[in-house]
Amino acid sequence: MNNLGKLFVISAPSGAGKTSLCNELLKTYDNLEYSISVTTRKPRADEIEGKDYFFVDEDTFKKMIQDDEFLEWAEVHGNLYGTPKKFINEKLESGVNILLDIDPQGARQLKSKLHFGVYVFIIAPSLKDLEERLRNRRTESEEKLRLRLENAKKEVRYYKDYDYIIINKNFKKAFNELNAIYIAEHLRSKDVKKIEDIMNLEV
Ligand code: 5GP
């Protein structure tokens, strides 16, 4: 158990700044890898297949559900998203820490299946901020943007499912908080190995 990687599950309504925070954490730690999800959403202009997502059509996604390839999956904003099981299992078993960026429905599924995992929820300081950020991003049509805002109002209510909440008003402060969580989770007494060896104590 001690050698297993840790699973960091991060959720946030669109526009809360989650992607930038996750990228910064990934840049900071070599032993942390991003779980690339499978989705039926169309790629955005700057997205890369196999880096941001594995983009598939609906039939392929449904076949993957049938073949039990997902650890969890959900419909979000009208598209399907799922976490490939194989990657997570292999990485955790080899001691690599994993960062999952999934919606609250997926996080809830995971929590009911796995007895470990650190659950972090990131929110914007207000709905007004959220709308501004989504508009500035210019990645969605007006219709899709409205759908994401409506969903954000619903998603925020899931906050009690999470171990930690970060209110992202200022990037630096929010990143320090996320980093603090990451560090603290590595100092848990149950995970610190062989203190007797380190201190040269007789067992
Ligand atoms: P976006 O379309 O903006 O990339 O992502 C939309 C939402 O889908 C975000 O809340 C993101 O966390 C969520 N999402 C991305 N991948 C997965 C996944 O594998 N499973 C679930 N349940 N949600 C995901």
Side-chain angles (χ1 to χ4, degrees):
M1 182 70 196
N2 273 339
N3 294 325
L4 271 188
K6 291 178 187 297
L7 192 69
F8 291 86
V9 180
I10 311 229
S11 302
S14 314
K18 173 187 51 180
T19 308
S20 311
L21 287 168
C22 288
N23 285 342
E24 194 63 22
L25 198 70
L26 288 160
K27 262 200 285 175
T28 309
Y29 295 102
D30 287 341
N31 195 35
L32 178 66
E33 288 190 25
Y34 182 64
S35 159
I36 302 163
S37 297
V38 179
T39 183
T40 61
R41 171 167 73 61
K42 296 274 169 287
R44 295 179 184 134
D46 60 342
E47 285 181 328
I48 299 169
E49 161 74 19
K51 177 173 176 279
D52 297 289
Y53 283 105
F54 297 108
F55 296 97
V56 299
D57 59 23
E58 214 166 300
D59 286 346
T60 308
F61 196 98
K62 287 187 175 153
K63 171 93 174 45
M64 291 178 80
I65 298 175
Q66 273 171 14
D67 293 345
D68 196 26
E69 288 188 42
F70 293 124
L71 197 54
E72 61 73 38
W73 67 271
E75 183 176 337
V76 193
H77 316 313
N79 295 300
L80 301 170
Y81 295 82
T83 302
K85 200 185 266 184
K86 191 164 172 268
F87 174 84
I88 306 276
N89 288 347
E90 285 174 4
K91 291 291 175 181
L92 290 180
E93 271 169 24
S94 57
V96 175
N97 300 314
I98 297 292
L99 186 66
L100 279 173
D101 165 355
I102 61 175
D103 89 309
Q105 308 168 71
R108 198 170 260 193
Q109 287 177 53
L110 270 192
K111 233 182 169 177
S112 69
K113 277 188 196 165
L114 305 174
H115 61 280
F116 59 95
V118 183
Y119 292 78
V120 183
F121 197 52
I122 300 174
I123 54 172
S126 69
L127 277 177
K128 192 168 155 281
D129 273 84
L130 195 71
E131 181 164 356
E132 249 172 55
R133 288 182 197 179
L134 268 181
R135 287 198 184 283
N136 290 342
R137 229 167 62 170
R138 294 170 200 273
T139 50
E140 314 300 321
S141 63
E142 181 62 27
E143 186 197 348
K144 293 241 168 81
L145 190 141
R146 296 243 71 87
L147 175 66
R148 280 179 182 247
L149 274 175
E150 280 313 305
N151 285 345
K153 287 186 206 163
K154 291 180 202 147
E155 283 181 1
V156 169
R157 295 179 202 275
Y158 281 85
Y159 75 92
K160 286 196 178 136
D161 286 357
Y162 293 80
D163 302 312
Y164 298 98
I165 312 285
I166 295 176
I167 299 174
N168 183 10
K169 194 167 180 185
N170 162 284
F171 178 82
K172 197 160 176 245
K173 181 168 181 289
F175 177 70
N176 284 341
E177 291 172 354
L178 182 59
N179 194 25
I181 294 166
Y182 187 84
I183 293 169
E185 288 296 329
H186 284 83
L187 301 176
R188 287 192 173 270
S189 57
K190 69 177 172 56
D191 294 336
V192 179
K193 290 177 288 180
K194 300 197 178 112
I195 284 289
E196 288 83 1
D197 289 352
I198 296 167
M199 305 292 284
N200 281 328
L201 297 177
E202 279 179 29
V203 196

